[in-house]
Amino acid sequence: MKQLITLTLFLLAFTAFAQKPCEYSANVTDSIGTYKITNEYLMSEKYFGGSFNYIFFSLAQTDGLPTLNLQNIQKSKDFIKANCFDKNSKIFLQLENGKIVTLMHINQENCGTLVRDDKGFDNRINTGIFMFMKDNFEELKKSPVSIMRIKYLTNTEDYIVKADLTSELTGKVTHPNTYFMENIRCVE
């Protein structure tokens, strides 16, 4: 009887701590190479004075090289300042263990696209691709992220990375601070 109870508790603990499967929006292998990218994940959402700002992350792997794709969506009826990415742009992630992880932008300038919707809002959509440094890659698996700093061409913005983020847009709950701990294995 003791063995049955022990086995049951072991199986329950094993399933409780099992990793969820990786979900990809694209997973392609062809004659050119391999490419896979995870679904977009809400990392930050800000509402202030009728302006909206969303930051989404997705992890990609191109022929074995892991990268972070960042998508910044700004929405406002007022003027939206362009935050451009260039070769000097970086993402700094401060981990809860005190370490700082730096991701470098690829050498491609991008200021995004401005689109006006039917409700009179201007929407600026900007994407950037960032490369991991070899020595920092392992640190992201070990500790949650507490602060994110994005260095654009002309300015720098800081974001507090929340443990639980309930989106006002979709109502979904995400856990941005453990994003890398849960998903980086999907692009190794």
Side-chain angles (χ1 to χ4, degrees):
M1 187 65 170
K2 274 187 179 180
Q3 292 173 341
L4 183 60
I5 292 173
T6 304
L7 180 64
T8 304
L9 288 174
F10 174 75
L11 290 174
L12 287 173
F14 181 74
T15 56
F17 293 108
Q19 294 180 340
K20 64 180 182 175
C22 296
E23 295 179 13
Y24 298 102
S25 59
N27 191 354
V28 179
T29 301
D30 60 17
S31 61
I32 299 173
T34 61
Y35 178 75
K36 57 184 170 182
I37 185 167
T38 61
N39 293 334
E40 290 182 339
Y41 194 87
L42 181 64
M43 293 296 292
S44 175
E45 183 177 71
K46 287 185 188 177
Y47 293 104
F48 186 77
S51 295
F52 308 91
N53 188 8
Y54 307 98
I55 294 183
F56 293 91
F57 279 0
S58 57
L59 293 166
Q61 184 193 73
T62 307
D63 296 328
L65 176 68
T67 56
L68 174 70
N69 293 355
L70 178 144
Q71 183 177 53
N72 185 4
I73 301 173
Q74 298 168 286
K75 182 175 185 171
S76 179
K77 289 192 175 186
D78 298 328
F79 174 76
I80 300 176
K81 184 178 102 173
N83 286 327
C84 301
F85 292 119
D86 73 340
K87 65 180 180 179
N88 297 317
S89 295
K90 296 177 183 160
I91 296 177
F92 302 97
L93 301 170
Q94 183 171 344
L95 306 181
E96 288 183 7
N97 65 9
K99 296 190 178 179
I100 296 177
V101 174
T102 304
L103 288 82
M104 308 291 290
H105 189 262
I106 61 171
N107 192 7
Q108 178 181 348
E109 192 168 310
N110 184 2
C111 293
T113 304
L114 189 63
V115 178
R116 181 172 284 262
D117 65 18
D118 56 353
K119 296 179 183 172
F121 281 93
D122 286 332
N123 298 277
R124 181 171 297 280
I125 303 165
N126 194 3
T127 57
I129 300 172
F130 293 84
M131 297 179 293
F132 294 95
M133 309 294 274
K134 274 191 175 190
D135 55 339
N136 291 336
F137 192 76
E138 292 297 318
E139 291 299 325
L140 291 169
K141 297 178 188 177
K142 299 176 189 174
S143 179
V145 177
S146 59
I147 299 172
M148 172 175 59
R149 173 174 283 172
I150 302 174
K151 181 185 177 300
Y152 296 99
L153 174 65
T154 56
N155 71 327
T156 301
E157 292 190 17
D158 293 333
Y159 301 88
I160 302 297
V161 180
K162 298 179 179 180
D164 297 312
L165 174 63
T166 303
S167 172
E168 292 186 35
L169 178 67
T170 64
K172 269 181 80 173
V173 176
T174 60
H175 307 286
N177 71 332
T178 57
Y179 173 75
F180 292 103
M181 294 172 64
E182 295 172 2
N183 294 289
I184 207 159
R185 64 185 168 75
C186 298
V187 294
E188 288 188 292

Short mmCIF file of all heavy atoms in Angstrom, two decimals, residues 24-26 34-40 56-71 91 93 101-108 127-134 137 140 179-180 183-188:
data_model
loop_
_atom_site.label_atom_id
_atom_site.label_comp_id
_atom_site.label_asym_id
_atom_site.label_seq_id
_atom_site.Cartn_x
_atom_site.Cartn_y
_atom_site.Cartn_z
N TYR A 24 4.92 26.57 -31.96
CA TYR A 24 5.58 27.37 -32.99
C TYR A 24 4.56 27.96 -33.95
O TYR A 24 3.59 27.31 -34.31
CB TYR A 24 6.56 26.50 -33.80
CG TYR A 24 7.67 25.92 -32.95
CD1 TYR A 24 7.63 24.59 -32.55
CD2 TYR A 24 8.75 26.69 -32.57
CE1 TYR A 24 8.65 24.05 -31.77
CE2 TYR A 24 9.76 26.16 -31.80
CZ TYR A 24 9.71 24.85 -31.40
OH TYR A 24 10.72 24.33 -30.63
N SER A 25 4.81 29.20 -34.38
CA SER A 25 3.98 29.78 -35.43
C SER A 25 4.53 29.40 -36.79
O SER A 25 3.81 29.46 -37.79
CB SER A 25 3.89 31.30 -35.28
OG SER A 25 5.16 31.89 -35.35
N ALA A 26 5.81 29.01 -36.85
CA ALA A 26 6.41 28.49 -38.07
C ALA A 26 7.50 27.49 -37.68
O ALA A 26 8.24 27.72 -36.73
CB ALA A 26 7.01 29.61 -38.91
N THR A 34 16.82 25.45 -41.89
CA THR A 34 15.72 25.27 -40.94
C THR A 34 15.37 26.61 -40.31
O THR A 34 16.24 27.46 -40.11
CB THR A 34 16.08 24.28 -39.82
OG1 THR A 34 17.20 24.79 -39.11
CG2 THR A 34 16.39 22.91 -40.37
N TYR A 35 14.11 26.78 -40.00
CA TYR A 35 13.63 27.99 -39.34
C TYR A 35 12.43 27.61 -38.49
O TYR A 35 11.50 26.96 -38.96
CB TYR A 35 13.22 29.05 -40.37
CG TYR A 35 12.67 30.31 -39.74
CD1 TYR A 35 13.51 31.23 -39.12
CD2 TYR A 35 11.31 30.57 -39.76
CE1 TYR A 35 13.01 32.38 -38.55
CE2 TYR A 35 10.80 31.73 -39.19
CZ TYR A 35 11.66 32.63 -38.59
OH TYR A 35 11.15 33.77 -38.02
N LYS A 36 12.47 28.04 -37.23
CA LYS A 36 11.30 27.88 -36.38
C LYS A 36 11.21 29.09 -35.47
O LYS A 36 12.22 29.67 -35.07
CB LYS A 36 11.33 26.58 -35.60
CG LYS A 36 12.51 26.34 -34.71
CD LYS A 36 12.42 24.96 -34.09
CE LYS A 36 13.70 24.58 -33.38
NZ LYS A 36 13.60 23.23 -32.82
N ILE A 37 9.97 29.48 -35.20
CA ILE A 37 9.71 30.64 -34.36
C ILE A 37 8.52 30.36 -33.46
O ILE A 37 7.52 29.79 -33.91
CB ILE A 37 9.50 31.92 -35.22
CG1 ILE A 37 9.36 33.15 -34.33
CG2 ILE A 37 8.32 31.77 -36.15
CD1 ILE A 37 9.47 34.46 -35.08
N THR A 38 8.66 30.73 -32.19
CA THR A 38 7.57 30.51 -31.24
C THR A 38 6.47 31.54 -31.44
O THR A 38 6.67 32.56 -32.09
CB THR A 38 8.09 30.61 -29.79
OG1 THR A 38 8.62 31.92 -29.56
CG2 THR A 38 9.15 29.56 -29.50
N ASN A 39 5.31 31.26 -30.88
CA ASN A 39 4.20 32.22 -30.93
C ASN A 39 4.58 33.49 -30.18
O ASN A 39 5.39 33.46 -29.25
CB ASN A 39 2.95 31.61 -30.29
CG ASN A 39 2.41 30.46 -31.09
OD1 ASN A 39 2.62 30.35 -32.29
ND2 ASN A 39 1.71 29.56 -30.41
N GLU A 40 3.99 34.61 -30.58
CA GLU A 40 4.25 35.88 -29.91
C GLU A 40 3.71 35.83 -28.49
O GLU A 40 2.66 35.22 -28.22
CB GLU A 40 3.61 37.03 -30.67
CG GLU A 40 4.30 37.31 -31.98
CD GLU A 40 3.69 38.48 -32.72
OE1 GLU A 40 2.53 38.84 -32.44
OE2 GLU A 40 4.38 39.02 -33.58
N PHE A 56 5.80 42.57 -27.63
CA PHE A 56 5.68 41.12 -27.77
C PHE A 56 7.05 40.53 -28.05
O PHE A 56 7.85 41.13 -28.79
CB PHE A 56 4.75 40.76 -28.94
CG PHE A 56 3.32 41.14 -28.72
CD1 PHE A 56 2.85 42.38 -29.14
CD2 PHE A 56 2.44 40.27 -28.10
CE1 PHE A 56 1.51 42.73 -28.95
CE2 PHE A 56 1.12 40.62 -27.90
CZ PHE A 56 0.65 41.86 -28.33
N PHE A 57 7.33 39.37 -27.49
CA PHE A 57 8.54 38.62 -27.78
C PHE A 57 8.18 37.33 -28.49
O PHE A 57 7.11 36.75 -28.26
CB PHE A 57 9.27 38.22 -26.49
CG PHE A 57 10.12 39.28 -25.87
CD1 PHE A 57 10.26 40.55 -26.42
CD2 PHE A 57 10.81 39.01 -24.70
CE1 PHE A 57 11.06 41.51 -25.83
CE2 PHE A 57 11.62 39.96 -24.10
CZ PHE A 57 11.74 41.21 -24.66
N SER A 58 9.08 36.86 -29.33
CA SER A 58 9.03 35.50 -29.85
C SER A 58 10.47 35.06 -30.04
O SER A 58 11.35 35.87 -30.32
CB SER A 58 8.24 35.41 -31.15
OG SER A 58 8.77 36.26 -32.13
N LEU A 59 10.71 33.79 -29.84
CA LEU A 59 12.05 33.23 -30.00
C LEU A 59 12.12 32.51 -31.33
O LEU A 59 11.19 31.80 -31.71
CB LEU A 59 12.36 32.25 -28.86
CG LEU A 59 12.48 32.91 -27.48
CD1 LEU A 59 12.45 31.85 -26.39
CD2 LEU A 59 13.75 33.73 -27.39
N ALA A 60 13.23 32.69 -32.03
CA ALA A 60 13.40 32.06 -33.33
C ALA A 60 14.73 31.33 -33.37
O ALA A 60 15.67 31.66 -32.63
CB ALA A 60 13.35 33.10 -34.45
N GLN A 61 14.79 30.34 -34.25
CA GLN A 61 16.05 29.64 -34.52
C GLN A 61 16.17 29.50 -36.02
O GLN A 61 15.29 28.95 -36.68
CB GLN A 61 16.06 28.27 -33.86
CG GLN A 61 17.40 27.57 -34.04
CD GLN A 61 17.32 26.12 -33.67
OE1 GLN A 61 16.75 25.33 -34.40
NE2 GLN A 61 17.89 25.78 -32.52
N THR A 62 17.27 30.05 -36.55
CA THR A 62 17.54 29.97 -37.98
C THR A 62 18.84 29.20 -38.15
O THR A 62 19.90 29.67 -37.75
CB THR A 62 17.68 31.38 -38.59
OG1 THR A 62 16.52 32.13 -38.25
CG2 THR A 62 17.83 31.30 -40.10
N ASP A 63 18.76 28.01 -38.72
CA ASP A 63 19.93 27.15 -38.93
C ASP A 63 20.78 27.03 -37.66
O ASP A 63 22.00 27.13 -37.70
CB ASP A 63 20.77 27.66 -40.10
CG ASP A 63 20.02 27.59 -41.41
OD1 ASP A 63 19.19 26.68 -41.56
OD2 ASP A 63 20.26 28.45 -42.28
N GLY A 64 20.12 26.85 -36.52
CA GLY A 64 20.82 26.63 -35.26
C GLY A 64 21.16 27.88 -34.48
O GLY A 64 21.63 27.80 -33.35
N LEU A 65 20.93 29.07 -35.04
CA LEU A 65 21.23 30.33 -34.35
C LEU A 65 19.96 30.85 -33.68
O LEU A 65 19.01 31.24 -34.36
CB LEU A 65 21.76 31.37 -35.34
CG LEU A 65 22.02 32.76 -34.75
CD1 LEU A 65 23.20 32.71 -33.79
CD2 LEU A 65 22.26 33.76 -35.86
N PRO A 66 19.93 30.89 -32.33
CA PRO A 66 18.74 31.41 -31.65
C PRO A 66 18.75 32.94 -31.63
O PRO A 66 19.79 33.57 -31.44
CB PRO A 66 18.87 30.84 -30.23
CG PRO A 66 20.32 30.60 -30.04
CD PRO A 66 20.90 30.33 -31.40
N THR A 67 17.57 33.54 -31.82
CA THR A 67 17.42 34.99 -31.76
C THR A 67 16.12 35.32 -31.03
O THR A 67 15.23 34.48 -30.90
CB THR A 67 17.39 35.63 -33.17
OG1 THR A 67 16.36 35.02 -33.93
CG2 THR A 67 18.71 35.51 -33.88
N LEU A 68 16.03 36.57 -30.61
CA LEU A 68 14.82 37.08 -29.99
C LEU A 68 14.21 38.09 -30.94
O LEU A 68 14.88 39.03 -31.38
CB LEU A 68 15.13 37.77 -28.66
CG LEU A 68 13.96 38.48 -28.00
CD1 LEU A 68 12.93 37.48 -27.48
CD2 LEU A 68 14.43 39.38 -26.88
N ASN A 69 12.95 37.90 -31.28
CA ASN A 69 12.23 38.87 -32.10
C ASN A 69 11.37 39.71 -31.18
O ASN A 69 10.59 39.18 -30.39
CB ASN A 69 11.34 38.16 -33.13
CG ASN A 69 12.15 37.43 -34.16
OD1 ASN A 69 13.36 37.51 -34.20
ND2 ASN A 69 11.47 36.71 -35.03
N LEU A 70 11.52 41.03 -31.28
CA LEU A 70 10.75 41.96 -30.49
C LEU A 70 9.81 42.71 -31.42
O LEU A 70 10.22 43.15 -32.50
CB LEU A 70 11.67 42.96 -29.79
CG LEU A 70 11.00 44.05 -28.96
CD1 LEU A 70 11.84 44.35 -27.74
CD2 LEU A 70 10.78 45.31 -29.75
N GLN A 71 8.55 42.82 -31.03
CA GLN A 71 7.60 43.61 -31.80
C GLN A 71 7.00 44.65 -30.85
O GLN A 71 6.46 44.30 -29.80
CB GLN A 71 6.49 42.75 -32.38
CG GLN A 71 5.53 43.54 -33.24
CD GLN A 71 4.48 42.66 -33.88
OE1 GLN A 71 3.80 41.90 -33.20
NE2 GLN A 71 4.36 42.75 -35.19
N ILE A 91 19.04 45.17 -26.01
CA ILE A 91 18.09 44.89 -24.94
C ILE A 91 18.91 44.44 -23.75
O ILE A 91 19.75 43.54 -23.86
CB ILE A 91 17.08 43.79 -25.33
CG1 ILE A 91 16.19 44.24 -26.48
CG2 ILE A 91 16.22 43.42 -24.12
CD1 ILE A 91 15.21 43.18 -26.95
N LEU A 93 18.51 42.88 -19.99
CA LEU A 93 17.58 42.19 -19.10
C LEU A 93 18.25 42.02 -17.74
O LEU A 93 19.28 41.33 -17.64
CB LEU A 93 17.19 40.83 -19.66
CG LEU A 93 16.54 40.84 -21.04
CD1 LEU A 93 16.45 39.43 -21.60
CD2 LEU A 93 15.18 41.49 -20.98
N VAL A 101 21.80 40.52 -18.61
CA VAL A 101 21.98 39.84 -19.89
C VAL A 101 21.76 40.88 -20.99
O VAL A 101 20.79 41.63 -20.97
CB VAL A 101 20.98 38.68 -20.03
CG1 VAL A 101 21.05 38.07 -21.41
CG2 VAL A 101 21.22 37.63 -18.96
N THR A 102 22.69 40.92 -21.95
CA THR A 102 22.61 41.87 -23.05
C THR A 102 22.36 41.13 -24.35
O THR A 102 23.02 40.14 -24.63
CB THR A 102 23.93 42.68 -23.16
OG1 THR A 102 24.19 43.30 -21.91
CG2 THR A 102 23.84 43.72 -24.25
N LEU A 103 21.42 41.63 -25.12
CA LEU A 103 21.14 41.10 -26.45
C LEU A 103 21.45 42.20 -27.46
O LEU A 103 21.05 43.35 -27.26
CB LEU A 103 19.68 40.67 -26.58
CG LEU A 103 19.28 39.41 -25.82
CD1 LEU A 103 19.00 39.69 -24.37
CD2 LEU A 103 18.06 38.81 -26.44
N MET A 104 22.14 41.84 -28.54
CA MET A 104 22.58 42.80 -29.55
C MET A 104 21.67 42.75 -30.76
O MET A 104 21.34 41.66 -31.24
CB MET A 104 24.01 42.47 -29.99
CG MET A 104 25.01 42.31 -28.86
SD MET A 104 25.37 43.81 -28.01
CE MET A 104 26.27 44.67 -29.26
N HIS A 105 21.32 43.92 -31.28
CA HIS A 105 20.48 44.00 -32.48
C HIS A 105 21.32 43.65 -33.71
O HIS A 105 22.51 43.95 -33.77
CB HIS A 105 19.90 45.41 -32.63
CG HIS A 105 18.87 45.51 -33.69
ND1 HIS A 105 19.14 45.97 -34.95
CD2 HIS A 105 17.55 45.20 -33.69
CE1 HIS A 105 18.04 45.95 -35.68
NE2 HIS A 105 17.05 45.49 -34.93
N ILE A 106 20.66 43.04 -34.68
CA ILE A 106 21.36 42.74 -35.93
C ILE A 106 21.62 44.06 -36.66
O ILE A 106 21.02 45.08 -36.36
CB ILE A 106 20.54 41.78 -36.83
CG1 ILE A 106 19.20 42.40 -37.22
CG2 ILE A 106 20.34 40.44 -36.16
CD1 ILE A 106 18.44 41.61 -38.26
N ASN A 107 22.50 44.05 -37.60
CA ASN A 107 22.91 45.26 -38.30
C ASN A 107 21.90 45.63 -39.38
O ASN A 107 22.15 45.50 -40.57
CB ASN A 107 24.30 45.08 -38.90
CG ASN A 107 24.88 46.39 -39.38
OD1 ASN A 107 24.31 47.45 -39.16
ND2 ASN A 107 26.01 46.31 -40.03
N GLN A 108 20.72 46.08 -38.93
CA GLN A 108 19.65 46.43 -39.87
C GLN A 108 18.82 47.55 -39.25
O GLN A 108 18.20 47.37 -38.20
CB GLN A 108 18.77 45.22 -40.14
CG GLN A 108 17.61 45.48 -41.05
CD GLN A 108 16.77 44.22 -41.24
OE1 GLN A 108 17.15 43.11 -40.86
NE2 GLN A 108 15.60 44.39 -41.80
N THR A 127 9.61 46.19 -35.50
CA THR A 127 10.17 44.89 -35.12
C THR A 127 11.69 44.95 -35.13
O THR A 127 12.29 45.68 -35.91
CB THR A 127 9.70 43.78 -36.07
OG1 THR A 127 10.09 44.12 -37.39
CG2 THR A 127 8.20 43.60 -36.02
N GLY A 128 12.26 44.17 -34.25
CA GLY A 128 13.71 44.08 -34.18
C GLY A 128 14.13 42.66 -33.88
O GLY A 128 13.43 41.93 -33.17
N ILE A 129 15.26 42.27 -34.41
CA ILE A 129 15.81 40.93 -34.17
C ILE A 129 17.09 41.10 -33.37
O ILE A 129 18.00 41.84 -33.77
CB ILE A 129 16.09 40.20 -35.50
CG1 ILE A 129 14.79 40.06 -36.30
CG2 ILE A 129 16.72 38.83 -35.24
CD1 ILE A 129 14.99 39.53 -37.71
N PHE A 130 17.17 40.40 -32.24
CA PHE A 130 18.29 40.52 -31.32
C PHE A 130 18.97 39.17 -31.13
O PHE A 130 18.31 38.14 -31.03
CB PHE A 130 17.81 41.06 -29.97
CG PHE A 130 17.32 42.48 -30.05
CD1 PHE A 130 16.02 42.75 -30.44
CD2 PHE A 130 18.16 43.53 -29.76
CE1 PHE A 130 15.57 44.05 -30.54
CE2 PHE A 130 17.72 44.84 -29.86
CZ PHE A 130 16.42 45.10 -30.24
N MET A 131 20.30 39.22 -31.07
CA MET A 131 21.09 38.00 -30.91
C MET A 131 21.52 37.84 -29.46
O MET A 131 21.84 38.82 -28.78
CB MET A 131 22.33 38.07 -31.81
CG MET A 131 21.98 38.13 -33.28
SD MET A 131 23.45 38.24 -34.32
CE MET A 131 24.07 39.86 -33.88
N PHE A 132 21.54 36.60 -29.01
CA PHE A 132 22.01 36.26 -27.67
C PHE A 132 23.52 36.19 -27.66
O PHE A 132 24.14 35.78 -28.64
CB PHE A 132 21.46 34.90 -27.23
CG PHE A 132 19.97 34.88 -27.07
CD1 PHE A 132 19.15 34.44 -28.10
CD2 PHE A 132 19.38 35.28 -25.89
CE1 PHE A 132 17.78 34.41 -27.96
CE2 PHE A 132 18.01 35.25 -25.73
CZ PHE A 132 17.20 34.81 -26.77
N MET A 133 24.12 36.56 -26.55
CA MET A 133 25.55 36.37 -26.35
C MET A 133 25.72 34.98 -25.73
O MET A 133 24.92 34.58 -24.89
CB MET A 133 26.11 37.44 -25.41
CG MET A 133 25.72 38.86 -25.80
SD MET A 133 26.44 39.36 -27.34
CE MET A 133 27.99 39.95 -26.75
N LYS A 134 26.77 34.26 -26.14
CA LYS A 134 26.94 32.88 -25.68
C LYS A 134 27.01 32.77 -24.17
O LYS A 134 26.40 31.88 -23.58
CB LYS A 134 28.21 32.27 -26.28
CG LYS A 134 28.00 31.68 -27.62
CD LYS A 134 29.20 30.87 -28.02
CE LYS A 134 28.89 30.18 -29.34
NZ LYS A 134 29.88 29.22 -29.70
N PHE A 137 23.40 33.29 -22.45
CA PHE A 137 22.29 32.44 -22.84
C PHE A 137 21.85 31.53 -21.68
O PHE A 137 20.66 31.40 -21.40
CB PHE A 137 22.70 31.61 -24.06
CG PHE A 137 21.58 30.91 -24.74
CD1 PHE A 137 20.70 31.61 -25.54
CD2 PHE A 137 21.41 29.55 -24.59
CE1 PHE A 137 19.66 30.96 -26.20
CE2 PHE A 137 20.38 28.89 -25.23
CZ PHE A 137 19.50 29.60 -26.03
N LEU A 140 19.66 33.01 -18.66
CA LEU A 140 18.23 33.22 -18.84
C LEU A 140 17.40 32.01 -18.43
O LEU A 140 16.22 32.13 -18.15
CB LEU A 140 17.93 33.59 -20.30
CG LEU A 140 18.45 34.95 -20.73
CD1 LEU A 140 18.36 35.11 -22.24
CD2 LEU A 140 17.68 36.05 -20.03
N TYR A 179 9.42 34.15 -18.89
CA TYR A 179 9.31 33.83 -20.31
C TYR A 179 10.51 33.03 -20.82
O TYR A 179 10.34 31.99 -21.47
CB TYR A 179 9.16 35.13 -21.13
CG TYR A 179 9.21 34.89 -22.62
CD1 TYR A 179 8.13 34.32 -23.28
CD2 TYR A 179 10.35 35.20 -23.37
CE1 TYR A 179 8.17 34.09 -24.65
CE2 TYR A 179 10.39 34.98 -24.73
CZ TYR A 179 9.30 34.42 -25.36
OH TYR A 179 9.35 34.18 -26.71
N PHE A 180 11.69 33.48 -20.52
CA PHE A 180 12.89 32.79 -21.02
C PHE A 180 13.08 31.45 -20.34
O PHE A 180 13.46 30.47 -20.98
CB PHE A 180 14.13 33.67 -20.85
CG PHE A 180 14.12 34.87 -21.74
CD1 PHE A 180 13.81 36.13 -21.24
CD2 PHE A 180 14.41 34.75 -23.10
CE1 PHE A 180 13.78 37.23 -22.06
CE2 PHE A 180 14.38 35.86 -23.92
CZ PHE A 180 14.07 37.10 -23.41
N ASN A 183 10.64 29.13 -22.15
CA ASN A 183 10.60 29.01 -23.61
C ASN A 183 11.95 28.92 -24.30
O ASN A 183 11.97 28.55 -25.47
CB ASN A 183 9.82 30.19 -24.19
CG ASN A 183 8.37 30.16 -23.78
OD1 ASN A 183 7.62 29.30 -24.25
ND2 ASN A 183 7.96 31.05 -22.92
N ILE A 184 13.03 29.24 -23.66
CA ILE A 184 14.31 29.28 -24.38
C ILE A 184 14.73 27.90 -24.86
O ILE A 184 15.40 27.77 -25.87
CB ILE A 184 15.40 29.96 -23.52
CG1 ILE A 184 16.44 30.57 -24.45
CG2 ILE A 184 16.01 29.01 -22.53
CD1 ILE A 184 17.25 31.66 -23.81
N ARG A 185 14.26 26.87 -24.19
CA ARG A 185 14.57 25.50 -24.63
C ARG A 185 14.00 25.20 -26.02
O ARG A 185 14.47 24.31 -26.71
CB ARG A 185 14.04 24.49 -23.61
CG ARG A 185 12.54 24.52 -23.49
CD ARG A 185 11.99 23.62 -22.41
NE ARG A 185 10.60 23.89 -22.16
CZ ARG A 185 9.61 23.52 -22.96
NH1 ARG A 185 9.87 22.82 -24.04
NH2 ARG A 185 8.37 23.83 -22.69
N CYS A 186 13.00 25.97 -26.43
CA CYS A 186 12.34 25.73 -27.72
C CYS A 186 13.21 26.12 -28.91
O CYS A 186 12.90 25.74 -30.04
CB CYS A 186 11.03 26.51 -27.79
SG CYS A 186 9.82 26.00 -26.55
N VAL A 187 14.29 26.88 -28.67
CA VAL A 187 15.16 27.29 -29.77
C VAL A 187 16.61 26.84 -29.57
O VAL A 187 17.51 27.33 -30.24
CB VAL A 187 15.10 28.81 -30.00
CG1 VAL A 187 13.73 29.23 -30.48
CG2 VAL A 187 15.51 29.58 -28.76
N GLU A 188 16.84 25.92 -28.67
CA GLU A 188 18.20 25.40 -28.45
C GLU A 188 18.56 24.37 -29.49
O GLU A 188 17.77 23.70 -30.04
CB GLU A 188 18.32 24.79 -27.05
CG GLU A 188 18.32 25.84 -25.98
CD GLU A 188 18.63 25.27 -24.63
OE1 GLU A 188 17.80 24.51 -24.09
OE2 GLU A 188 19.70 25.58 -24.11
#
